[in-house]
Amino acid sequence: MFDLPLTKTLPALTLAFGLMASASAAAELVVGMQQEPTSLDPTADATASIDSMMTQNVFESLTTVAENGEVQPNLATKWDVSEDGLTYTFHLAEGVMFHDGSALDAEDVVFSFDRAMAEESVNPSKDIFEPITSVEAIDPQTVEITLSGKDAFFLFNMGQGDSAIVASETAEGNNANPVGSGPFKFDSWTRGDRLTLVKNPDHRDAADVALDKVVFRFISDPAAATAAMMAEELDAFPGFPAPELLPQFEADPRFRVNVGSTEGEVILAMNNAKPPFDNVEVRRAVATAIDRDEIIEGAMYGQAVPIGSFYPPHGTAYVDLTGAYPHDTEKAKTMFEDAGVAGQTMTLRVPPFPYATRSAEIIQNELAEAGIDAKVENVEWGFWIDEVYKKKNFDMTIIAHTSPNDMGNFARGPDYFYGYDNAEMTALWEQITTEVDSAKRDELLKQGQQMLSDQSVHAFLFQLPLLGVFREGVEGYWASSPVLYMPLKGVSVAN
């Protein structure tokens, strides 16, 4: 039976078994994340990391958004729009299943939207559903959505995590045990450490999914993140928290560094509903006291673009308003004195992200030089969500707003944590959202930027960059982020 000497046969068999083992090895990706979520349900919590992990990976929506910002089909393979632009008829993909084996059909779409639009809804972007007057299931594969008026962002918004389609049987448990229809299924969550997803073999595009397992490890400390990458405990850190250490990775052939853009405006938010920040002159004084260049250099090591209002510099409607309040410590000191707040103590509560904590230290010194005692309080994310975002218990804070098309935050009135209530801004945002001509909409967006700058609603700092470090062999990650999520369906890793 054996024609070859045993000494030659054994190495050949060993090589063959080695090749088979390599071919069958599971493709596992380990990803570093700065922020651990407080929930896993993107329809019930505003934490950005929920979308980063869950949206278009575990949960799906009617549409999706590509890296270039283009709206594409998803659960809806196509849609028809009425001549008046008010009725959208979505045709759903056939045979879609939730991860628990139940079918996804038009009734699930109706349930998801009714839940998001309900009076008691806790959806973090409930306002995107306000134009909707009705959602009807025409048949199991067809849904008709009628709007009260034209909505320029409607199809884009239908691709967000807030618009994820969920099942009535499992929706209430999605905060800790998410059940979606996406290409990955929830496996486990060890709080304070990691979250694991596994490939959904029953997904309609399963053949296009290269990864069998994805492990997200929560590492907020820059030094720990760097050590984990250098030790190759991680394959990727798409939101790397230590910009000062990027050159170290750029010089190491084991890694690839990416510097891209996001939709994240980083702001020094001031509570407009609370003295002294209900006084526009105080807000202008703060804007005059800060030095963006110093903040960007000190907090981001130069890896950020300054902003003077609430709109991304890479956007088509961008207006450069960074010169509206030139840094002038002596002028700011006089402005604080004239407003009667010189020498006052103002609390600056910041979440545990390096861009925020580092910026806070610099801003604290800049305000001190202008005669204001800024007391910095570093708080945990859960505390920030509860006390700052929900209860509006703060003077100032630093936060990145990473959602696209989110100037509408300023039209949400005093119930939103800004405490900003301006009928003129609310009316302008109504015009922006209903203007379907992109050139005319850009002109309105320019007006909005100017208005927010003139009123110095906040001190606008910089656009959050997408700084990523990847082990060689990891391919398919987006270079920039036009939305909150980062689809894993197209990502591969050479283990």
Side-chain angles (χ1 to χ4, degrees):
M1 180 178 295
F2 295 100
D3 296 327
L4 296 175
L6 189 58
T7 53
K8 292 185 179 180
T9 305
L10 281 175
L13 288 172
T14 302
L15 177 59
F17 281 124
L19 289 173
M20 285 190 290
S22 176
S24 61
E28 178 177 327
L29 182 75
V30 184
V31 183
M33 296 278 290
Q34 284 190 61
Q35 182 187 67
E36 179 174 14
T38 52
S39 165
L40 302 182
D41 183 357
T43 71
D45 193 300
T47 305
S49 58
I50 304 173
D51 281 291
S52 298
M53 296 185 298
M54 299 286 119
T55 298
Q56 309 308 354
N57 293 321
V58 173
F59 293 106
E60 295 181 297
S61 42
L62 292 176
T63 64
T64 190
V65 178
E67 185 179 5
N68 63 2
E70 178 187 350
V71 176
Q72 296 181 343
N74 195 15
L75 286 175
T77 59
K78 62 179 181 178
W79 49 85
D80 307 309
V81 185
S82 61
E83 287 189 13
D84 61 6
L86 300 181
T87 302
Y88 289 74
T89 304
F90 292 94
H91 304 276
L92 305 182
E94 298 278 353
V96 177
M97 308 290 287
F98 284 109
H99 297 152
D100 63 357
S102 60
L104 185 156
D105 60 22
E107 292 296 340
D108 294 300
V109 178
V110 174
F111 166 78
S112 299
F113 279 78
D114 284 348
R115 175 173 175 259
M117 297 186 297
E119 185 175 345
E120 67 276 11
S121 169
V122 293
N123 193 293
S125 296
K126 192 174 178 179
D127 55 315
I128 69 174
F129 302 97
E130 288 180 359
I132 298 175
T133 58
S134 66
V135 183
E136 298 181 29
I138 305 304
D139 60 49
Q141 301 306 124
T142 311
V143 178
E144 185 177 273
I145 299 180
T146 303
L147 310 180
S148 58
K150 291 182 179 180
D151 183 354
F153 303 124
F154 177 66
L155 289 173
F156 189 97
N157 289 337
M158 293 305 96
Q160 306 309 304
D162 311 280
S163 305
I165 305 306
V166 298
S168 59
E169 297 84 357
T170 55
E172 291 306 310
N174 282 338
N175 62 319
N177 185 33
V179 177
S181 61
F184 292 90
K185 298 192 296 185
F186 172 73
D187 179 71
S188 62
W189 182 13
T190 303
R191 292 178 188 262
D193 182 27
R194 67 189 63 203
L195 182 141
T196 302
L197 306 179
V198 294
K199 181 177 178 177
N200 174 17
D202 300 318
H203 191 266
R204 58 195 179 281
D205 295 327
D208 299 327
V209 179
L211 300 173
D212 296 296
K213 184 178 182 180
V214 181
V215 179
F216 294 99
R217 286 186 53 192
F218 307 118
I219 308 174
S220 59
D221 179 69
T226 301
M229 281 300 306
M230 293 302 292
E232 298 187 54
E233 296 173 8
L234 306 175
D235 298 305
F237 212 122
F240 192 67
E244 71 276 17
L245 295 176
L246 289 182
Q248 177 179 344
F249 290 98
E250 289 173 330
D252 192 324
R254 296 177 298 163
F255 302 103
R256 172 174 55 85
V257 172
N258 171 75
V259 179
S261 61
T262 76
E263 297 297 305
E265 294 88 4
V266 179
I267 61 174
L268 172 62
M270 293 174 271
N271 191 340
N272 282 230
K274 179 180 179 181
F277 299 114
D278 56 350
N279 182 346
V280 66
E281 294 304 324
V282 174
R283 301 197 301 268
R284 287 171 177 160
V286 171
T288 303
I290 66 166
D291 183 343
R292 287 190 194 88
D293 292 338
E294 184 179 37
I295 295 167
I296 291 171
E297 188 59 38
M300 300 301 295
Y301 290 79
Q303 297 281 8
V305 178
I307 57 172
S309 190
F310 201 81
Y311 189 83
H314 56 264
T316 57
Y318 178 67
V319 180
D320 185 356
L321 296 169
T322 54
Y325 301 96
H327 171 59
D328 188 330
T329 300
E330 290 305 314
K331 181 178 179 181
K333 184 182 295 185
T334 300
M335 293 172 74
F336 283 129
E337 291 171 351
D338 291 345
V341 297
Q344 284 192 13
T345 297
M346 302 175 183
T347 301
L348 175 53
R349 283 184 161 170
V350 293
F353 311 128
Y355 74 82
T357 56
R358 292 175 175 181
S359 295
E361 292 178 5
I362 299 167
I363 290 171
Q364 180 183 40
N365 291 332
E366 292 172 348
L367 289 175
E369 291 174 357
I372 295 295
D373 178 18
K375 180 183 177 184
V376 174
E377 293 183 3
N378 294 304
V379 301
E380 293 301 315
W381 181 238
F383 181 94
W384 191 94
I385 286 288
D386 187 52
E387 287 293 321
V388 176
Y389 183 75
K390 293 182 179 179
K391 296 179 181 177
K392 299 179 281 293
N393 183 17
F394 76 105
D395 294 331
M396 297 182 289
T397 189
I398 299 172
I399 194 67
H401 283 275
T402 50
S403 294
N405 305 321
D406 56 356
M407 192 185 288
N409 288 340
F410 297 88
R412 297 173 72 170
D415 290 338
Y416 195 58
F417 85 99
Y418 295 167
Y420 176 70
D421 189 17
N422 185 299
E424 188 179 356
M425 183 66 205
T426 301
L428 178 61
W429 183 248
E430 176 68 20
Q431 286 183 271
I432 290 169
T433 56
T434 56
E435 180 53 72
V436 294
D437 184 295
S438 59
K440 292 179 180 178
R441 188 167 63 249
D442 278 356
E443 289 304 311
L444 295 171
L445 285 165
K446 291 177 181 179
Q447 292 179 32
Q449 293 171 64
Q450 188 68 59
M451 185 184 301
L452 297 175
S453 173
D454 290 346
Q455 297 177 1
S456 195
V457 181
H458 304 306
F460 303 99
L461 305 180
F462 56 87
Q463 198 72 14
L464 191 70
L466 183 63
L467 306 178
V469 178
F470 304 89
R471 183 172 63 78
E472 280 298 331
V474 176
E475 303 292 342
Y477 260 99
W478 285 1
S480 293
S481 181
V483 285
L484 288 177
Y485 48 82
M486 188 71 69
L488 294 167
K489 189 170 73 172
V491 175
S492 63
V493 59
N495 287 325

